[in-house]
Amino acid sequence: MRIANFSALAAISIVILINLEMENFRLNVIRICGELFLIILASVISSNSTGMAFIVSIILIISSRNINFETVLKGFLFFSIVVFLLGLLLNYCGILPSMIRIEGLRLRNSLGFSYVSFPSQVLFYILAAWVVWRKEKISYIELAILGIFTIEIYEKTRTTSPFVLSVLLIGYVLLLKIFNLSSIITRFKLTRILSSLTFPIAFFSLLWLMFKAPSSIFQKVDQMVNNRLSLSLNGIKEFGSSLLGKKAVFSGYDAFGGSLNYNFVDSSYIQSLILNGWLFTIIIIFLFTVVCVKAVREKQEYLIVVLIIISIHSMFDPQLMLLWYSPFPFLLGKTFNKDFWNEIFRLEKE
């Protein structure tokens, strides 16, 4: 049955992809092969994670190649903000219950979401999408509102990573506005190179911290990220990593905030290595790198700073490829558009 489902899905995908290309009166064999390869790969490894939802996510990403990203951002922001605010309101009215956790000196409240970190993660991606959508038009009032929400949600959830990165992002945008700067990162050659490679740098930095860093550095970083570095290392030791990944059952907290054997791997990169394998993980990092290269060459300052923040965020949080949290995986769909590569080569010549 599984083979039949995958075969049917592959056949449907072929028809969709060919029809999309025929609309442009051109068949690009290399691009279609790349799209089919990624869809088939997703189908093979889908049972390791979210099943059909994983395959659909990949198809949606590829299918979005001709959709303006600003349209994606507007749709994402509308629905995410409505769900976020409605959730908070229903929780305030006592309709949606909260998970309450006490971790040392931290009292954490999920504010109606199913886990204590979720409202912070949703708000983090709302902020990132808002900055990329508004760019230099973003006002001090907008930044103040986003900043107040960020602080208030942190006070309730005590989720460190999205809070710190959100503050850095707001601070960077403020710096650009206060000094009337159009760019900082994309102005200098070294920062342009580092920004283009932000995803591989983040990925290999994480591997270095896990396997090569002195124990003193490992312990300090692990403490800063609430033991998530240890959980990533333990996850690799327990489940291993392979070319095509494997099924792994992570034990998280239940609805009451308890767990008999917590072993959830929060890192997007390490979780992908375990569940999706090296092949898929390297492809995704490569595609994000290509997107970063184009953003840097086009001097899209706001997009590139958000991508840098997301690459760091993904070292210790699992939302990198989750479309129900983030609209930024849709940028990968642009790499399957012939105009994307034409623009990159044109920029290279210039």
Side-chain angles (χ1 to χ4, degrees):
M1 181 61 70
R2 181 179 174 185
I3 295 175
N5 287 336
F6 287 162
S7 299
L9 183 63
I12 293 171
S13 301
I14 290 172
V15 173
I16 293 173
L17 294 170
I18 290 178
N19 285 338
L20 285 172
E21 291 297 331
M22 288 296 288
E23 289 174 2
N24 293 322
F25 305 102
R26 180 180 178 182
L27 279 175
N28 189 314
V29 176
I30 296 177
R31 192 162 67 254
I32 287 182
C33 288
E35 293 167 350
L36 287 176
F37 175 78
L38 190 57
I39 292 172
I40 292 171
L41 177 60
S43 301
V44 170
I45 65 179
S46 62
S47 60
N48 297 339
S49 53
T50 55
M52 189 61 68
F54 183 78
I55 305 173
V56 171
S57 295
I58 297 301
I59 292 176
L60 284 174
I61 289 170
I62 293 174
S63 300
S64 70
R65 61 189 174 191
N66 295 318
I67 300 175
N68 188 292
F69 187 59
E70 286 210 356
T71 302
V72 174
L73 288 177
K74 290 176 185 177
F76 168 82
L77 284 168
F78 174 77
F79 287 105
S80 294
I81 291 173
V82 168
V83 170
F84 178 73
L85 294 178
L86 185 60
L88 296 182
L89 177 62
L90 293 177
N91 177 250
Y92 179 79
C93 295
I95 299 174
L96 284 179
S98 288
M99 172 195 284
I100 304 294
R101 282 188 48 76
I102 299 176
E103 299 177 4
L105 299 176
R106 295 194 304 169
L107 177 63
R108 308 182 68 188
N109 187 326
S110 73
L111 301 175
F113 290 79
S114 58
Y115 185 60
V116 288
S117 68
F118 289 174
S120 292
Q121 303 294 4
V122 171
L123 181 58
F124 169 79
Y125 277 103
I126 288 174
L127 168 63
W130 192 275
V131 167
V132 174
W133 175 49
R134 293 288 289 157
K135 301 180 184 67
E136 66 277 352
K137 295 178 182 178
I138 194 168
S139 67
Y140 290 111
I141 294 177
E142 292 170 49
L143 289 171
I145 292 172
L146 290 167
I148 290 169
F149 266 101
T150 297
I151 293 171
E152 287 298 316
I153 294 299
Y154 173 72
E155 286 294 323
K156 297 294 189 300
T157 67
R158 292 292 174 176
T159 307
T160 307
S161 175
F163 170 71
V164 172
L165 293 172
S166 294
V167 170
L168 287 175
L169 179 56
I170 292 172
Y172 187 84
V173 175
L174 276 173
L175 186 65
L176 291 175
K177 287 190 68 65
I178 290 171
F179 293 98
N180 196 27
L181 299 171
S182 60
S183 65
I184 296 176
I185 292 175
T186 56
R187 179 173 296 186
F188 306 102
K189 185 174 182 179
L190 178 60
T191 52
R192 287 199 298 269
I193 293 172
L194 294 176
S195 301
S196 299
L197 301 175
T198 184
F199 279 91
I201 288 173
F203 175 64
F204 287 110
S205 294
L206 179 61
L207 294 183
W208 179 82
L209 286 169
M210 290 171 56
F211 299 108
K212 296 295 182 180
S215 59
S216 59
I217 295 178
F218 179 94
Q219 291 169 6
K220 287 180 181 178
V221 174
D222 194 38
Q223 186 177 12
M224 289 172 58
V225 297
N226 301 312
N227 300 318
R228 292 187 173 188
L229 197 56
S230 291
L231 289 168
S232 292
L233 182 59
N234 293 338
I236 289 291
K237 289 180 178 179
E238 180 178 356
F239 301 110
S241 61
S242 59
L243 183 66
L244 298 177
K246 64 182 294 186
K247 181 74 173 180
V249 179
F250 298 125
S251 176
Y253 294 114
D254 57 30
F256 303 101
S259 176
L260 295 176
N261 181 31
Y262 187 91
N263 69 345
F264 190 83
V265 175
D266 294 276
S267 168
S268 295
Y269 303 123
I270 303 305
Q271 191 179 114
S272 182
L273 282 179
I274 294 170
L275 298 176
N276 305 325
W278 279 92
L279 181 58
F280 180 83
T281 303
I282 294 301
I283 289 173
I284 294 304
I285 291 174
F286 170 74
L287 293 180
F288 267 114
T289 301
V290 173
V291 169
C292 288
V293 168
K294 185 171 182 289
V296 167
R297 289 179 177 173
E298 292 182 344
K299 297 184 178 180
Q300 299 183 54
E301 185 80 9
Y302 291 89
L303 175 58
I304 195 62
V305 71
V306 164
L307 289 173
I308 291 171
I309 292 290
I310 289 174
S311 71
I312 298 170
H313 177 267
S314 301
M315 293 173 69
F316 306 108
D317 290 283
Q319 290 83 19
L320 178 62
M321 290 296 292
L322 300 183
L323 299 183
W324 44 95
Y325 277 98
S326 169
F328 294 97
F330 284 108
L331 285 170
L332 305 186
K334 300 299 179 185
T335 63
F336 295 95
N337 188 317
K338 66 178 185 301
D339 294 332
F340 181 93
W341 293 98
N342 290 339
E343 290 172 7
I344 279 197
F345 290 132
R346 184 165 60 250
L347 289 168
E348 177 69 26
K349 291 178 182 178
E350 293 175 355

